[in-house]
Amino acid sequence: MALLLPLILAAEAPAKPAVPLASTPELGKAEGKCRAGESGPAFLVDVVGLKDRTGKLKLEVYPNNDADFLMDDNVLVYQGKAFRRVEEETPASGNVQICVRVPGPGPYSIMLLHDRDNNRKFGWWVDGIGFASNPRLGWHKPKAAATRAVAGNGPTRISITLNYRNGLGMSPIN
């Protein structure tokens, strides 16, 4: 019996409030993009454990509470809550670091997707996923507290290890 994390994530998602703001892959990108010379609150995320150099990397920042963690971007933006997104091509070689700005110092939940097939959503069989604080992944989405990172007044460095399908579960590549 294979339980699929995406189905569980969808089943656990709260009902989506109706909002007049269309969901688009561009939401949160302008606010999340780091700019040269900025010194405000941001996360410098070291990406660890890439399976390969295909596809894109998508980093998303959410409020650090279970109700808003992994909520639809259009709902969060419409409600004026913290949501940031950075999406980049996976570099062909070298160390990988992604920078994302945040609204201010404090705790956030962070998710990183290695979208190997470039379809802009998590695919259990193909893609990698990781979270701030690197919680062990089970059959359910992690609690917001397990994915917490605290931003300081300037750039805060963290490391996220990607997990890929391994048997019936998800784990880092050995």
Side-chain angles (χ1 to χ4, degrees):
M1 175 171 98
L3 299 175
L4 300 178
L5 185 61
L7 295 177
I8 292 168
L9 291 176
E12 290 181 353
K16 298 177 185 176
V19 295
L21 181 62
S23 186
T24 167
E26 300 306 311
L27 284 178
K29 283 186 179 180
E31 299 84 359
K33 184 172 179 56
C34 292
R35 293 165 182 87
E38 282 186 325
S39 60
F43 288 106
L44 298 174
V45 180
D46 292 315
V47 178
V48 178
L50 280 169
K51 186 173 192 173
D52 54 37
R53 299 301 180 123
T54 61
K56 291 187 179 183
L57 296 170
K58 180 171 67 170
L59 183 72
E60 293 181 342
V61 177
Y62 296 87
N64 186 238
N65 64 69
D66 289 329
D68 293 331
F69 179 48
L70 300 178
M71 172 69 79
D72 279 354
D73 52 4
N74 61 333
V75 174
L76 292 171
V77 171
Y78 179 72
Q79 293 176 350
K81 296 181 179 179
F83 176 77
R84 301 292 188 267
R85 175 183 290 141
V86 174
E87 191 174 65
E88 298 179 357
E89 294 291 329
T90 305
S93 63
N95 294 332
V96 180
Q97 186 178 80
I98 301 174
C99 182
V100 61
R101 295 182 338 170
V102 292
Y108 297 92
S109 288
I110 303 175
M111 186 269 311
L112 174 65
L113 172 67
H114 181 195
D115 186 11
R116 295 175 64 225
D117 57 4
N118 277 324
N119 69 352
R120 296 186 178 237
K121 57 186 175 183
F122 177 69
W124 169 265
W125 301 104
V126 178
D127 299 327
I129 194 164
F131 300 92
S133 299
N134 297 304
R136 182 167 185 240
L137 299 182
W139 295 114
H140 302 281
K141 76 175 185 177
K143 296 284 188 190
T147 66
R148 181 179 185 216
V150 179
N153 289 322
T156 302
R157 186 174 216 137
I158 65 170
S159 177
I160 296 180
T161 300
L162 288 163
N163 296 264
Y164 297 87
R165 185 180 64 82
N166 183 7
L168 296 177
M170 299 289 284
S171 64
I173 294 174
N174 293 331

